[in-house]
Amino acid sequence: MCGIVGIVGKSPVNQALYDSLLVLQHRGQDAAGIVTCQGDKLHLRKDNGLARDVFRTRHMIQLGGNMGVGHVRYPTAGAASSAEAQPFYVNSPYGIVLAHNGNLTNAEDLKRDLFVEDLRHLNTESDSEILLNVFAHELQLQGKLRIDEQDVFRAVAGVHRRCRGGYAAVAMIPGFGVFGFRDPHGIRPLVYGRRETDLGTEYMIASESVALDTIGFSLIADVAPGEAVFISVDGQIHTRQCAAQPILSPCIFEFVYFARPDSIIDNISVHKARSRMGKKLAAKIKREWSNHDIDVVIPIPDTSRTAALQLANQLGVPYSEGFIKNRYIGRTFIMPGQQVRKKSVRQKLNAIDLEFRKKNVLLVDDSIVRGTTSQQIIQMARDAGAHRVYFASAAPPVRFPNVYGIDMPAASELIAHGRTEDEVARELGADRLIFQELGDLIDAVQKKGKSHVDRFDTSVFDGLYVTGDVTPEYLQALEANRNDGAKTAYGSFSENVIDLYNSA
């Protein structure tokens, strides 16, 4: 998962891009990058780390220009070296900068086609560079010395014909403009907005609406599935549907976990969706466990708070904050390696004993993925003196890998894969485990009567992949390449290469 942003302004955009990346930091904590355009010249700064650490005053001074693109990353494809930090740049044709959020499911086929047929060279293992080169090749096919927005739209249409998977991208051509596009299923989010200034109208494209809100832009719309939005260097905006049969199928896990609660995605308030998840979960408890003995509902911060509060209200049970979170520790399920995740949980959360002692506690989390965090939190509740520890998930069991840009690709590492709910409860050490029903989750997010979503990508729960091209063989290869063992081996190899390079 990544965060992307592009701005066409009337004054220097470096500060606005930086501020946007800070707001989108929850979408990627591994690396950050900004490219700005000053006339026909590009200025680049990118590296591993949080945005606040990557960009210093000296870097910001060098990022001149009224147009630019930014990116925050955690890796789901490729390596974790700074060379794979985005945005990426390709010189031919015209010079193109691109930042990407998502994952291409036919990346290996595209890589071969780029090398053999398109005669293009790739420098990294990132599918984002593949996407950039596919677009560049499609644009080059126009065969024009000077291009216009229609040429960009035709190139995006070519991308949609060739690329499979979930992708949202923002790109820039020096002296020409910034544009964004979304895959024909709209799996990954993308929005655009405007801001009026004394110098004229400025435009912005970003992963989430909260990035617009916080720096004074007003939301125009979501980029529709298959649509491209082009903003010229002089501030003219153009849009066009570039896919043959778009079907809006956003990833439902955005609403469960990834997106900020103050964002609106595809006309759905993330906060309201999570509130409705809590109501649905409470209804299930009333239906299946009417004689419950829950003394207190305690959320696992931060994402589950909204659902937990509504659940407590619906059950008529006290709600309490029982865990204090260290906000300087990253999200644990996206950390590479099980041992790192285990170590980080105790650093991340600390229990307040008084809220647990001699009580039957219902812990509420947004989801259960690998189960590492949940196991330790349940044990922390027991250590704090809880009499019984129940656990509720605002999402159904995560049983299948994600292939569209969320780092949970190895089915064997998902605690619910191949297990019944009772078996998961025993594995976690909970006295009782309550999962959300998939139908209830869809109803909670759908916002009936107002949402224009055709369907949701719920593949992590039901194994149904909306792009229709994900085979068992693909999933097996994905698991082999991206499980924790593979990441550890690749990480050791990368560290050795870096050590050799530094000693040279």
Side-chain angles (χ1 to χ4, degrees), residues 120-140:
R120 285 187 166 268
H121 175 74
L122 300 174
N123 295 304
T124 72
E125 293 298 316
S126 173
D127 63 340
S128 301
E129 191 187 13
I130 294 173
L131 183 67
L132 169 59
N133 276 274
V134 170
F135 174 82
H137 180 74
E138 293 297 319
L139 191 60
Q140 195 164 30

Side-chain angles (χ1 to χ4, degrees), residues 467-494:
T467 53
D469 63 332
V470 178
T471 65
E473 292 76 21
Y474 176 85
L475 294 177
Q476 290 171 7
L478 197 69
E479 171 144 4
N481 291 331
R482 298 194 197 170
N483 61 36
D484 278 343
K487 288 178 182 176
T488 301
Y490 192 92
S492 299
F493 172 77
S494 300

Side-chain angles (χ1 to χ4, degrees), residues 316-376:
V317 172
Y319 168 93
S320 182
E321 294 285 345
F323 294 103
I324 299 300
K325 182 178 180 181
N326 178 355
R327 300 185 182 278
Y328 302 96
I329 298 294
R331 294 182 169 191
T332 53
F333 95 79
I334 64 175
M335 289 183 177
Q338 194 81 332
Q339 292 303 316
V340 175
R341 282 187 290 274
K342 286 181 178 179
K343 182 179 179 181
S344 72
V345 175
R346 290 280 180 171
Q347 297 172 338
K348 182 178 180 179
L349 293 176
N350 191 45
I352 303 173
D353 291 3
L354 292 175
E355 300 297 340
F356 293 89
R357 195 171 299 151
K358 298 181 180 179
K359 296 178 182 179
N360 296 331
V361 178
L362 176 63
L363 303 179
V364 180
D365 207 351
D366 50 75
S367 59
I368 302 172
V369 181
R370 288 177 168 95
T372 309
T373 301
S374 303
Q375 286 174 331
Q376 293 193 62

Side-chain angles (χ1 to χ4, degrees), residues 18 27 37 47 55 100 156 164 167 177 185 200 234 284 294 301 346 353 366 406 423 444 473 490:
Y18 173 77
R27 301 188 67 86
C37 180
D47 202 353
F55 302 104
H100 162 231
V156 171
R164 300 288 180 268
Y167 54 90
H185 294 90
D234 59 354
K284 180 177 181 178
I294 301 167
R346 290 280 180 171
D353 291 3
D366 50 75
I406 300 177
E423 288 171 338
E473 292 76 21
Y490 192 92

Side-chain angles (χ1 to χ4, degrees), residues 175-476:
F176 183 53
V178 166
F179 54 97
F181 56 92
R182 197 175 177 194
D183 73 78
H185 294 90
I187 296 171
R188 302 267 70 90
L190 197 65
V191 300
Y192 62 105
R194 67 164 64 90
R195 178 173 68 181
E196 301 298 335
T197 73
D198 293 339
L199 299 175
T201 305
E202 300 180 322
Y203 289 96
M204 177 177 175
I205 304 171
S207 290
E208 293 184 36
S209 63
V210 66
L212 306 177
D213 302 338
T214 54
I215 60 172
F217 283 75
S218 58
L219 177 67
I220 297 175
D222 295 271
V223 177
E227 185 180 34
V229 175
F230 175 79
I231 306 155
S232 66
V233 69
D234 59 354
Q236 300 298 311
I237 187 167
H238 307 268
T239 65
R240 179 173 152 183
Q241 177 53 254
C242 301
Q245 294 179 309
I247 302 175
L248 181 55
S249 314
C251 174
I252 205 165
F253 214 73
E254 289 277 357
F255 300 91
V256 171
Y257 177 79
F258 263 108
R260 272 184 45 153
D262 43 349
S263 281
I264 297 173
I265 297 176
D266 293 314
N267 201 36
I268 299 170
S269 163
V270 177
H271 170 75
K272 287 293 187 181
R274 290 176 183 168
S275 178
R276 291 189 291 266
M277 290 176 205
K279 290 181 180 180
K280 294 287 187 180
L281 202 51
K284 180 177 181 178
I285 292 174
K286 287 180 179 180
R287 186 171 63 248
E288 298 184 0
W289 190 18
S290 58
N291 62 339
H292 70 80
D293 57 352
I294 301 167
D295 295 318
V296 62
V297 172
I298 294 178
I300 297 171
D302 286 315
T303 322
S304 64
R305 281 197 172 102
T306 305
L309 182 57
Q310 274 298 338
L311 186 153
N313 288 339
Q314 295 292 314
L315 292 181
V317 172
Y319 168 93
S320 182
E321 294 285 345
F323 294 103
I324 299 300
K325 182 178 180 181
N326 178 355
R327 300 185 182 278
Y328 302 96
I329 298 294
R331 294 182 169 191
T332 53
F333 95 79
I334 64 175
M335 289 183 177
Q338 194 81 332
Q339 292 303 316
V340 175
R341 282 187 290 274
K342 286 181 178 179
K343 182 179 179 181
S344 72
V345 175
R346 290 280 180 171
Q347 297 172 338
K348 182 178 180 179
L349 293 176
N350 191 45
I352 303 173
D353 291 3
L354 292 175
E355 300 297 340
F356 293 89
R357 195 171 299 151
K358 298 181 180 179
K359 296 178 182 179
N360 296 331
V361 178
L362 176 63
L363 303 179
V364 180
D365 207 351
D366 50 75
S367 59
I368 302 172
V369 181
R370 288 177 168 95
T372 309
T373 301
S374 303
Q375 286 174 331
Q376 293 193 62
I377 288 174
I378 289 168
Q379 188 57 50
M380 287 170 66
R382 295 196 189 282
D383 293 343
H387 178 59
R388 293 183 183 275
V389 181
Y390 309 123
F391 203 97
S393 167
V398 176
R399 301 189 187 279
F400 302 93
N402 184 279
V403 301
Y404 300 129
I406 300 177
D407 191 19
M408 51 171 90
S412 61
E413 294 169 2
L414 305 174
I415 193 170
H417 181 73
R419 291 189 176 98
T420 66
E421 294 185 15
D422 287 341
E423 288 171 338
V424 175
R426 288 194 293 271
E427 190 74 17
L428 293 177
D431 292 300
R432 185 162 187 155
L433 179 60
I434 305 101
F435 280 108
Q436 185 86 265
E437 297 295 328
L438 180 55
D440 287 343
L441 175 62
I442 293 171
D443 287 345
V445 179
Q446 182 73 37
K447 195 172 76 165
K448 288 182 178 178
K450 295 183 179 179
S451 170
H452 54 281
V453 171
D454 297 309
R455 62 182 179 181
F456 290 96
D457 171 59
T458 56
S459 55
V460 297
F461 307 123
D462 58 15
L464 302 176
Y465 297 93
V466 296
T467 53
D469 63 332
V470 178
T471 65
E473 292 76 21
Y474 176 85
L475 294 177
Q476 290 171 7

